[in-house]
Amino acid sequence: MTDILIQGGRALLGDAIIETSLRIAGGKIRDVDAGHGRAALNIDGRGLLVLPGIVDLHGDAFERQMMPRPGVDFPIDVALLDSDRQAVANGITTVFHATTWSWEPGLRSGDNARLLLEAIESLRPQLKADTRFHLRHETYNLDAEDEIGRWLSAGRIDLFAFNDHMASTVASLENPRKRNRMVERTGLSSEAFDRLVESVVSRADAVPGSIARLAQIAESSAVRMLSHDDDSPAMRRAFRAQGVRIAEFPVNEETAREAAAGGDAIVFGAPNVVRGGSHTGWTKASDMIEKGLCSVLASDYYYPAPLLAAFRLAADRVLSLPRAWDVISAAPARAAGLTDRGVIAEEHRADILLVDSAQPLRPRIVAVIAGGRLAYLADAGRLSTSSAAAREAVAAE
């Protein structure tokens, strides 16, 4: 059902929230300030905020659907379909599944990365959110370089991140809790895991050349790149010089300042805002936002977080709601090069949320339109048409 009229909501238009109506057809916003009328499906937006859909550049909560407990696997198609429902119900209409391909076996292995990519490609017609593949490449995973290069050249990767968790992995070997978690994730014995880490670390000298080659392929293939956990201004400058223009979770303020000075997009986790700080004890995202050192928030490991974070920022007067919403919608769209979404404007993709904000810190998603189709509805009383076609469309959703 793509002929939809949203009547009477308070819509985010530019930097203002204005009472208006929107007409949607053919998957796009066709008319802002549509006035009164009828469509195949009419939604009563009175008393609700009408906001652009959330664009999530980095979400790996789907891993919990794939492996809800260490060593307990579920089929990838089941995990993706369930993750899609969770993302959409939390207002995420464009989702980049952040898939780690590490040197580890198990959950973050090459086999899983291949299966996940193939599943996303095959399931896209069934998924309500616009679902894309964000490959998080562990830079010590040198044996994967050739295959990843082919994926980049073939346009199968939508975002490409350089990750280096080797130092933290080695440091965690002395921490029993962290060590056990890593070992359980791989399915190896403790001794085999130690041997694997030793072998991978021994190839450190080959890592910079591999990064350079893959960055060159990504840039020539017009794939946007991110660097993860930059820990110094020098590291940020080095990645920027190779065309990596998104700084993802810089670990300190001086590195975030270098990213901002260079005009890079800066990503932090929305859970950091909701919880009031990083679970790792690193940079506090709300402080970075207040200082102009964060331009994008991502769901990271928790799909409800972007919606909650935007309203938390507004309630705490860190940003106005229009500016806070930009951080989870228009800004990530810009960073990813998606010029057709993130704002409510005519001829843009119709990704629209209807939100009840009566409780400012607990906003409630009432309806989600994704790609011009009703993808989620929590209040059937908002439908103002009684046509059989509309009833059948809602039942099908």
Side-chain angles (χ1 to χ4, degrees), residues 13-54:
L13 303 176
D15 293 328
I17 295 176
I18 300 170
E19 182 122 1
T20 189
S21 295
L22 305 177
R23 183 177 296 279
I24 293 165
K28 294 186 177 182
I29 301 167
R30 298 298 183 184
D31 190 5
V32 177
D33 195 17
H36 297 287
R38 302 290 289 177
L41 190 63
N42 294 271
I43 302 176
D44 180 4
R46 288 177 298 178
L48 301 179
L49 288 169
V50 181
L51 303 167
I54 295 168

mmCIF file of all heavy atoms in Angstrom, residues 13-54:
data_model
loop_
_atom_site.group_PDB
_atom_site.id
_atom_site.type_symbol
_atom_site.label_atom_id
_atom_site.label_comp_id
_atom_site.label_asym_id
_atom_site.label_seq_id
_atom_site.Cartn_x
_atom_site.Cartn_y
_atom_site.Cartn_z
ATOM 1 N N LEU A 13 10.293 19.752 9.498
ATOM 2 C CA LEU A 13 10.600 20.293 8.176
ATOM 3 C C LEU A 13 11.758 21.268 8.327
ATOM 4 O O LEU A 13 11.594 22.345 8.906
ATOM 5 C CB LEU A 13 9.381 20.994 7.574
ATOM 6 C CG LEU A 13 8.106 20.149 7.442
ATOM 7 C CD1 LEU A 13 6.951 20.995 6.916
ATOM 8 C CD2 LEU A 13 8.348 18.954 6.518
ATOM 9 N N GLY A 14 12.919 20.864 7.858
ATOM 10 C CA GLY A 14 14.099 21.687 8.060
ATOM 11 C C GLY A 14 14.441 21.746 9.536
ATOM 12 O O GLY A 14 14.584 20.715 10.201
ATOM 13 N N ASP A 15 14.530 22.960 10.080
ATOM 14 C CA ASP A 15 14.852 23.146 11.497
ATOM 15 C C ASP A 15 13.614 23.419 12.337
ATOM 16 O O ASP A 15 13.736 23.751 13.519
ATOM 17 C CB ASP A 15 15.836 24.309 11.672
ATOM 18 C CG ASP A 15 17.196 24.000 11.074
ATOM 19 O OD1 ASP A 15 17.582 22.805 11.086
ATOM 20 O OD2 ASP A 15 17.864 24.932 10.587
ATOM 21 N N ALA A 16 12.429 23.280 11.747
ATOM 22 C CA ALA A 16 11.193 23.607 12.456
ATOM 23 C C ALA A 16 10.263 22.400 12.509
ATOM 24 O O ALA A 16 10.345 21.485 11.684
ATOM 25 C CB ALA A 16 10.497 24.783 11.773
ATOM 26 N N ILE A 17 9.387 22.416 13.493
ATOM 27 C CA ILE A 17 8.349 21.389 13.607
ATOM 28 C C ILE A 17 7.019 22.086 13.344
ATOM 29 O O ILE A 17 6.609 22.988 14.093
ATOM 30 C CB ILE A 17 8.380 20.721 14.994
ATOM 31 C CG1 ILE A 17 9.700 19.960 15.155
ATOM 32 C CG2 ILE A 17 7.194 19.782 15.168
ATOM 33 C CD1 ILE A 17 9.891 19.328 16.518
ATOM 34 N N ILE A 18 6.350 21.686 12.282
ATOM 35 C CA ILE A 18 5.186 22.407 11.756
ATOM 36 C C ILE A 18 4.032 21.434 11.558
ATOM 37 O O ILE A 18 4.212 20.328 11.026
ATOM 38 C CB ILE A 18 5.537 23.074 10.402
ATOM 39 C CG1 ILE A 18 6.692 24.069 10.582
ATOM 40 C CG2 ILE A 18 4.315 23.739 9.788
ATOM 41 C CD1 ILE A 18 7.267 24.582 9.287
ATOM 42 N N GLU A 19 2.837 21.862 11.962
ATOM 43 C CA GLU A 19 1.650 21.033 11.732
ATOM 44 C C GLU A 19 1.334 21.040 10.246
ATOM 45 O O GLU A 19 1.209 22.093 9.613
ATOM 46 C CB GLU A 19 0.456 21.581 12.519
ATOM 47 C CG GLU A 19 -0.798 20.759 12.370
ATOM 48 C CD GLU A 19 -1.336 20.233 13.698
ATOM 49 O OE1 GLU A 19 -0.730 20.534 14.737
ATOM 50 O OE2 GLU A 19 -2.337 19.518 13.673
ATOM 51 N N THR A 20 1.226 19.850 9.677
ATOM 52 C CA THR A 20 1.000 19.747 8.241
ATOM 53 C C THR A 20 0.490 18.353 7.912
ATOM 54 O O THR A 20 0.286 17.525 8.801
ATOM 55 C CB THR A 20 2.301 20.047 7.457
ATOM 56 O OG1 THR A 20 2.001 20.156 6.064
ATOM 57 C CG2 THR A 20 3.343 18.969 7.673
ATOM 58 N N SER A 21 0.281 18.086 6.637
ATOM 59 C CA SER A 21 -0.096 16.754 6.167
ATOM 60 C C SER A 21 0.842 16.361 5.035
ATOM 61 O O SER A 21 1.344 17.221 4.302
ATOM 62 C CB SER A 21 -1.552 16.741 5.675
ATOM 63 O OG SER A 21 -2.446 16.986 6.744
ATOM 64 N N LEU A 22 1.078 15.072 4.903
ATOM 65 C CA LEU A 22 1.983 14.566 3.883
ATOM 66 C C LEU A 22 1.270 13.546 3.013
ATOM 67 O O LEU A 22 0.535 12.692 3.517
ATOM 68 C CB LEU A 22 3.200 13.872 4.536
ATOM 69 C CG LEU A 22 4.037 14.639 5.540
ATOM 70 C CD1 LEU A 22 5.126 13.729 6.091
ATOM 71 C CD2 LEU A 22 4.654 15.870 4.911
ATOM 72 N N ARG A 23 1.506 13.634 1.713
ATOM 73 C CA ARG A 23 0.987 12.614 0.802
ATOM 74 C C ARG A 23 2.152 11.798 0.265
ATOM 75 O O ARG A 23 3.183 12.351 -0.147
ATOM 76 C CB ARG A 23 0.205 13.233 -0.356
ATOM 77 C CG ARG A 23 -0.417 12.187 -1.315
ATOM 78 C CD ARG A 23 -1.239 12.849 -2.396
ATOM 79 N NE ARG A 23 -2.385 13.550 -1.826
ATOM 80 C CZ ARG A 23 -3.517 12.952 -1.467
ATOM 81 N NH1 ARG A 23 -3.650 11.633 -1.616
ATOM 82 N NH2 ARG A 23 -4.511 13.654 -0.975
ATOM 83 N N ILE A 24 1.988 10.484 0.276
ATOM 84 C CA ILE A 24 3.025 9.546 -0.155
ATOM 85 C C ILE A 24 2.474 8.699 -1.287
ATOM 86 O O ILE A 24 1.342 8.200 -1.217
ATOM 87 C CB ILE A 24 3.438 8.649 1.025
ATOM 88 C CG1 ILE A 24 4.146 9.487 2.103
ATOM 89 C CG2 ILE A 24 4.323 7.499 0.566
ATOM 90 C CD1 ILE A 24 4.259 8.796 3.427
ATOM 91 N N ALA A 25 3.259 8.532 -2.324
ATOM 92 C CA ALA A 25 2.858 7.657 -3.436
ATOM 93 C C ALA A 25 4.111 7.161 -4.134
ATOM 94 O O ALA A 25 5.112 7.885 -4.246
ATOM 95 C CB ALA A 25 1.955 8.401 -4.425
ATOM 96 N N GLY A 26 4.058 5.927 -4.596
ATOM 97 C CA GLY A 26 5.175 5.369 -5.334
ATOM 98 C C GLY A 26 6.468 5.308 -4.547
ATOM 99 O O GLY A 26 7.557 5.375 -5.128
ATOM 100 N N GLY A 27 6.351 5.205 -3.221
ATOM 101 C CA GLY A 27 7.534 5.087 -2.381
ATOM 102 C C GLY A 27 8.201 6.399 -2.025
ATOM 103 O O GLY A 27 9.203 6.407 -1.325
ATOM 104 N N LYS A 28 7.621 7.532 -2.493
ATOM 105 C CA LYS A 28 8.228 8.837 -2.235
ATOM 106 C C LYS A 28 7.234 9.791 -1.592
ATOM 107 O O LYS A 28 6.015 9.599 -1.663
ATOM 108 C CB LYS A 28 8.756 9.442 -3.535
ATOM 109 C CG LYS A 28 9.915 8.672 -4.149
ATOM 110 C CD LYS A 28 10.488 9.406 -5.353
ATOM 111 C CE LYS A 28 11.703 8.668 -5.920
ATOM 112 N NZ LYS A 28 12.302 9.401 -7.065
ATOM 113 N N ILE A 29 7.776 10.825 -0.966
ATOM 114 C CA ILE A 29 6.954 11.910 -0.448
ATOM 115 C C ILE A 29 6.593 12.797 -1.641
ATOM 116 O O ILE A 29 7.470 13.388 -2.272
ATOM 117 C CB ILE A 29 7.715 12.724 0.621
ATOM 118 C CG1 ILE A 29 8.139 11.818 1.781
ATOM 119 C CG2 ILE A 29 6.867 13.890 1.112
ATOM 120 C CD1 ILE A 29 9.149 12.461 2.726
ATOM 121 N N ARG A 30 5.315 12.866 -1.941
ATOM 122 C CA ARG A 30 4.887 13.600 -3.137
ATOM 123 C C ARG A 30 4.413 15.008 -2.835
ATOM 124 O O ARG A 30 4.494 15.890 -3.691
ATOM 125 C CB ARG A 30 3.770 12.826 -3.848
ATOM 126 C CG ARG A 30 4.185 11.461 -4.354
ATOM 127 C CD ARG A 30 5.295 11.534 -5.387
ATOM 128 N NE ARG A 30 5.640 10.212 -5.906
ATOM 129 C CZ ARG A 30 6.623 9.984 -6.750
ATOM 130 N NH1 ARG A 30 7.370 10.983 -7.186
ATOM 131 N NH2 ARG A 30 6.884 8.755 -7.172
ATOM 132 N N ASP A 31 3.881 15.219 -1.633
ATOM 133 C CA ASP A 31 3.290 16.522 -1.344
ATOM 134 C C ASP A 31 3.409 16.804 0.150
ATOM 135 O O ASP A 31 2.906 16.045 0.972
ATOM 136 C CB ASP A 31 1.810 16.526 -1.769
ATOM 137 C CG ASP A 31 1.186 17.916 -1.737
ATOM 138 O OD1 ASP A 31 1.923 18.884 -1.482
ATOM 139 O OD2 ASP A 31 -0.038 18.022 -1.950
ATOM 140 N N VAL A 32 4.112 17.867 0.479
ATOM 141 C CA VAL A 32 4.168 18.360 1.850
ATOM 142 C C VAL A 32 3.136 19.473 1.967
ATOM 143 O O VAL A 32 3.014 20.302 1.079
ATOM 144 C CB VAL A 32 5.575 18.882 2.206
ATOM 145 C CG1 VAL A 32 5.591 19.467 3.616
ATOM 146 C CG2 VAL A 32 6.600 17.770 2.075
ATOM 147 N N ASP A 33 2.406 19.517 3.070
ATOM 148 C CA ASP A 33 1.264 20.413 3.236
ATOM 149 C C ASP A 33 0.181 20.046 2.234
ATOM 150 O O ASP A 33 -0.298 20.872 1.450
ATOM 151 C CB ASP A 33 1.679 21.878 3.069
ATOM 152 C CG ASP A 33 0.621 22.847 3.599
ATOM 153 O OD1 ASP A 33 -0.254 22.399 4.364
ATOM 154 O OD2 ASP A 33 0.668 24.030 3.226
ATOM 155 N N ALA A 34 -0.201 18.762 2.291
ATOM 156 C CA ALA A 34 -1.129 18.223 1.307
ATOM 157 C C ALA A 34 -2.564 18.660 1.517
ATOM 158 O O ALA A 34 -3.412 18.459 0.647
ATOM 159 C CB ALA A 34 -1.065 16.687 1.352
ATOM 160 N N GLY A 35 -2.886 19.262 2.657
ATOM 161 C CA GLY A 35 -4.259 19.660 2.907
ATOM 162 C C GLY A 35 -5.122 18.451 3.174
ATOM 163 O O GLY A 35 -4.651 17.371 3.529
ATOM 164 N N HIS A 36 -6.405 18.589 2.996
ATOM 165 C CA HIS A 36 -7.332 17.498 3.260
ATOM 166 C C HIS A 36 -7.542 16.686 1.994
ATOM 167 O O HIS A 36 -7.316 17.144 0.882
ATOM 168 C CB HIS A 36 -8.667 18.035 3.783
ATOM 169 C CG HIS A 36 -8.532 18.747 5.094
ATOM 170 N ND1 HIS A 36 -8.304 18.093 6.285
ATOM 171 C CD2 HIS A 36 -8.566 20.087 5.395
ATOM 172 C CE1 HIS A 36 -8.220 18.968 7.270
ATOM 173 N NE2 HIS A 36 -8.363 20.185 6.753
ATOM 174 N N GLY A 37 -7.986 15.478 2.167
ATOM 175 C CA GLY A 37 -8.233 14.602 1.025
ATOM 176 C C GLY A 37 -8.262 13.165 1.480
ATOM 177 O O GLY A 37 -8.272 12.871 2.667
ATOM 178 N N ARG A 38 -8.293 12.283 0.510
ATOM 179 C CA ARG A 38 -8.335 10.862 0.811
ATOM 180 C C ARG A 38 -7.257 10.159 0.001
ATOM 181 O O ARG A 38 -6.850 10.612 -1.061
ATOM 182 C CB ARG A 38 -9.702 10.258 0.463
ATOM 183 C CG ARG A 38 -10.884 10.906 1.160
ATOM 184 C CD ARG A 38 -10.913 10.604 2.634
ATOM 185 N NE ARG A 38 -11.265 9.219 2.908
ATOM 186 C CZ ARG A 38 -11.293 8.709 4.130
ATOM 187 N NH1 ARG A 38 -10.960 9.461 5.175
ATOM 188 N NH2 ARG A 38 -11.617 7.449 4.333
ATOM 189 N N ALA A 39 -6.785 9.065 0.555
ATOM 190 C CA ALA A 39 -5.845 8.204 -0.143
ATOM 191 C C ALA A 39 -6.286 6.769 0.106
ATOM 192 O O ALA A 39 -7.257 6.518 0.833
ATOM 193 C CB ALA A 39 -4.430 8.434 0.359
ATOM 194 N N ALA A 40 -5.605 5.823 -0.512
ATOM 195 C CA ALA A 40 -5.948 4.424 -0.259
ATOM 196 C C ALA A 40 -5.821 4.098 1.225
ATOM 197 O O ALA A 40 -6.561 3.288 1.764
ATOM 198 C CB ALA A 40 -5.060 3.511 -1.090
ATOM 199 N N LEU A 41 -4.863 4.771 1.895
ATOM 200 C CA LEU A 41 -4.661 4.579 3.325
ATOM 201 C C LEU A 41 -4.462 5.950 3.956
ATOM 202 O O LEU A 41 -3.577 6.710 3.551
ATOM 203 C CB LEU A 41 -3.440 3.696 3.569
ATOM 204 C CG LEU A 41 -3.218 3.209 5.001
ATOM 205 C CD1 LEU A 41 -4.367 2.321 5.447
ATOM 206 C CD2 LEU A 41 -1.917 2.438 5.099
ATOM 207 N N ASN A 42 -5.319 6.289 4.916
ATOM 208 C CA ASN A 42 -5.227 7.567 5.616
ATOM 209 C C ASN A 42 -4.838 7.319 7.064
ATOM 210 O O ASN A 42 -5.425 6.469 7.736
ATOM 211 C CB ASN A 42 -6.574 8.286 5.570
ATOM 212 C CG ASN A 42 -6.947 8.693 4.159
ATOM 213 O OD1 ASN A 42 -6.611 9.773 3.701
ATOM 214 N ND2 ASN A 42 -7.633 7.802 3.452
ATOM 215 N N ILE A 43 -3.831 8.041 7.535
ATOM 216 C CA ILE A 43 -3.353 7.888 8.903
ATOM 217 C C ILE A 43 -3.552 9.206 9.640
ATOM 218 O O ILE A 43 -3.110 10.265 9.167
ATOM 219 C CB ILE A 43 -1.868 7.482 8.941
ATOM 220 C CG1 ILE A 43 -1.655 6.168 8.166
ATOM 221 C CG2 ILE A 43 -1.390 7.322 10.377
ATOM 222 C CD1 ILE A 43 -0.206 5.734 8.078
ATOM 223 N N ASP A 44 -4.225 9.133 10.774
ATOM 224 C CA ASP A 44 -4.457 10.302 11.606
ATOM 225 C C ASP A 44 -3.203 10.582 12.433
ATOM 226 O O ASP A 44 -2.842 9.826 13.331
ATOM 227 C CB ASP A 44 -5.658 10.029 12.522
ATOM 228 C CG ASP A 44 -5.983 11.196 13.438
ATOM 229 O OD1 ASP A 44 -5.323 12.251 13.308
ATOM 230 O OD2 ASP A 44 -6.889 11.059 14.274
ATOM 231 N N GLY A 45 -2.528 11.695 12.109
ATOM 232 C CA GLY A 45 -1.295 12.038 12.803
ATOM 233 C C GLY A 45 -1.468 13.068 13.896
ATOM 234 O O GLY A 45 -0.471 13.525 14.462
ATOM 235 N N ARG A 46 -2.716 13.426 14.201
ATOM 236 C CA ARG A 46 -2.946 14.485 15.188
ATOM 237 C C ARG A 46 -2.333 14.121 16.543
ATOM 238 O O ARG A 46 -2.477 13.013 17.028
ATOM 239 C CB ARG A 46 -4.445 14.730 15.344
ATOM 240 C CG ARG A 46 -5.069 15.444 14.138
ATOM 241 C CD ARG A 46 -6.561 15.589 14.305
ATOM 242 N NE ARG A 46 -7.208 14.266 14.382
ATOM 243 C CZ ARG A 46 -8.517 14.106 14.566
ATOM 244 N NH1 ARG A 46 -9.310 15.153 14.727
ATOM 245 N NH2 ARG A 46 -9.027 12.881 14.602
ATOM 246 N N GLY A 47 -1.617 15.090 17.111
ATOM 247 C CA GLY A 47 -0.984 14.890 18.402
ATOM 248 C C GLY A 47 0.334 14.143 18.346
ATOM 249 O O GLY A 47 0.964 13.917 19.384
ATOM 250 N N LEU A 48 0.774 13.768 17.139
ATOM 251 C CA LEU A 48 1.999 12.992 16.989
ATOM 252 C C LEU A 48 3.068 13.800 16.259
ATOM 253 O O LEU A 48 2.758 14.680 15.450
ATOM 254 C CB LEU A 48 1.728 11.704 16.205
ATOM 255 C CG LEU A 48 0.693 10.747 16.779
ATOM 256 C CD1 LEU A 48 0.531 9.552 15.858
ATOM 257 C CD2 LEU A 48 1.082 10.290 18.190
ATOM 258 N N LEU A 49 4.311 13.482 16.539
ATOM 259 C CA LEU A 49 5.417 14.002 15.743
ATOM 260 C C LEU A 49 5.583 13.148 14.497
ATOM 261 O O LEU A 49 5.452 11.918 14.542
ATOM 262 C CB LEU A 49 6.717 13.972 16.549
ATOM 263 C CG LEU A 49 6.830 14.993 17.685
ATOM 264 C CD1 LEU A 49 8.038 14.659 18.562
ATOM 265 C CD2 LEU A 49 6.963 16.408 17.128
ATOM 266 N N VAL A 50 5.860 13.802 13.383
ATOM 267 C CA VAL A 50 6.112 13.119 12.121
ATOM 268 C C VAL A 50 7.565 13.395 11.756
ATOM 269 O O VAL A 50 7.938 14.534 11.461
ATOM 270 C CB VAL A 50 5.146 13.617 11.024
ATOM 271 C CG1 VAL A 50 5.397 12.884 9.714
ATOM 272 C CG2 VAL A 50 3.690 13.431 11.465
ATOM 273 N N LEU A 51 8.379 12.351 11.791
ATOM 274 C CA LEU A 51 9.830 12.510 11.721
ATOM 275 C C LEU A 51 10.421 11.646 10.618
ATOM 276 O O LEU A 51 9.864 10.584 10.283
ATOM 277 C CB LEU A 51 10.460 12.108 13.064
ATOM 278 C CG LEU A 51 9.947 12.876 14.290
ATOM 279 C CD1 LEU A 51 10.400 12.181 15.576
ATOM 280 C CD2 LEU A 51 10.440 14.314 14.267
ATOM 281 N N PRO A 52 11.568 12.054 10.048
ATOM 282 C CA PRO A 52 12.231 11.186 9.071
ATOM 283 C C PRO A 52 12.689 9.887 9.719
ATOM 284 O O PRO A 52 13.050 9.856 10.901
ATOM 285 C CB PRO A 52 13.446 12.018 8.616
ATOM 286 C CG PRO A 52 13.168 13.409 9.066
ATOM 287 C CD PRO A 52 12.294 13.317 10.275
ATOM 288 N N GLY A 53 12.706 8.807 8.943
ATOM 289 C CA GLY A 53 13.183 7.535 9.448
ATOM 290 C C GLY A 53 14.644 7.611 9.880
ATOM 291 O O GLY A 53 15.437 8.407 9.364
ATOM 292 N N ILE A 54 14.992 6.774 10.846
ATOM 293 C CA ILE A 54 16.358 6.734 11.371
ATOM 294 C C ILE A 54 17.267 5.980 10.407
ATOM 295 O O ILE A 54 16.896 4.931 9.872
ATOM 296 C CB ILE A 54 16.358 6.062 12.754
ATOM 297 C CG1 ILE A 54 15.563 6.912 13.763
ATOM 298 C CG2 ILE A 54 17.790 5.844 13.258
ATOM 299 C CD1 ILE A 54 15.271 6.208 15.064
#
